[in-house]
Amino acid sequence: MDNSSKKPVASISISGEITLNLHSLNNEGGEGNQIMTRQLTILDKYGIEHTVNGISGDMFKHIHAGHMVNYCVENNINLSTYSKKLDPNRISAKELKELAGGKDQTQKDVVDAIIQSCAICDVHGMLMTDKVGENGSSTNTPRKSTIEFAWTVGLPDKNNTETYLHTKVVADAGAKGGATGSNEGQNIFHRPANHGAYAFICNIDVYRIGLNDISREYAISDLERDKRYKAVVQSLLSTILNPKGAMTSTQKPHITDFKGVVSISHKLIPAPTISAINSDYKDEIQTIAKNLNKLEKDAIEIDQFDGLGQLSEILTSLYYEEPYKLG
């Protein structure tokens, strides 16, 4: 694509309704031999309370980080030792110290080093808790995430959970028993299989990729920012097409539909988002975009999608744009 035809992208938001069948992405652990399903209480736009299934934003953030690590490895984008292993600590104080040549650093220097050394730390954020400051005191240095996932929330009256029996096939199970502690006996589990239409929200502050929030300066080159931007967008598409989460080895979700709105901001006005819990969310977003464009001409672009095919087309087009840069 000709660079002159690229549009700067400051932020991207996805608001949609995704239909998932026979999944356990909202598994919250076990009690005895029963796998528990995470449920949430929400209010609809009329103030009516509902209890629904919910998938934590942590789940989709973890899935995105996994896909992004693979992309970064394949495309020679900087990653810390911890991030390459998908360690949730992201980066160690020891590694940062080595990058600084063993010298103490200010918080600005620490954030610069975090951004420069690791794309995952830059995009997904982290908290450095064991760095020692110049006066010998311990200081916490945060790096706020540039990508955010909301809870993926079941729409009222459009989600449910069923439980089925799962057993391990064991020869002579009756003779071996199930309480020997040798892992040779019969194990019986009760597993949930969830289905429903879910409200999905994701936001990316593209302009913050590589930006040190303390100095308000970019810690990496424009070329490196563009590489990381592409990693974020492609990994987001991979996250939706191939969610690798709880129990997906045997309960891979049947994604049967995904429809909604992608809003793109080409300036610093945030890309608008409204939850699909509100059935009028598409019209609301269009109205907000229209009003925002009165404040900043051509700031907001809205693309509706009706299926994964159309969403993949929108994200592929965004992949070839460029990240907005503060002047």
Side-chain angles (χ1 to χ4, degrees), residues 67-78:
H67 284 297
M68 187 171 165
V69 165
N70 291 340
Y71 183 98
C72 290
V73 170
E74 286 289 308
N75 291 275
N76 298 314
I77 298 173
N78 287 350

Side-chain angles (χ1 to χ4, degrees), residues 274-308:
I274 297 288
S275 173
I277 296 173
N278 181 343
S279 59
D280 298 323
Y281 75 101
K282 292 182 182 180
D283 292 337
E284 287 277 357
I285 292 173
Q286 290 281 8
T287 301
I288 293 169
K290 181 179 178 181
N291 290 327
L292 292 178
N293 283 332
K294 292 178 182 177
L295 299 174
E296 290 276 356
K297 186 178 179 182
D298 299 326
I300 305 297
E301 178 183 346
I302 300 296
D303 288 323
Q304 293 197 26
F305 60 92
D306 190 8
L308 283 170

Side-chain angles (χ1 to χ4, degrees), residues 214-247:
I214 297 175
S215 67
R216 303 297 291 172
E217 295 177 350
Y218 290 99
I220 55 177
S221 68
D222 292 348
L223 178 60
E224 187 65 23
R225 290 189 69 233
D226 188 66
K227 289 180 180 179
R228 293 184 184 186
Y229 165 71
K230 285 177 166 52
V232 171
V233 173
Q234 182 162 318
S235 299
L236 178 57
L237 179 56
S238 298
T239 297
I240 296 167
L241 295 177
N242 186 20
K244 299 178 179 180
M247 298 175 67

Side-chain angles (χ1 to χ4, degrees), residues 32-70:
N33 65 348
Q34 175 73 53
I35 304 297
M36 309 301 292
T37 296
R38 180 177 283 109
Q39 293 193 309
L40 312 169
T41 301
I42 62 170
L43 290 177
D44 63 22
K45 70 174 185 177
Y46 304 107
I48 300 172
E49 191 174 277
H50 304 270
T51 299
V52 297
N53 289 336
I55 304 168
S56 170
D58 293 319
M59 175 65 72
F60 279 105
K61 207 165 189 299
H62 176 73
I63 296 168
H64 183 274
H67 284 297
M68 187 171 165
V69 165
N70 291 340

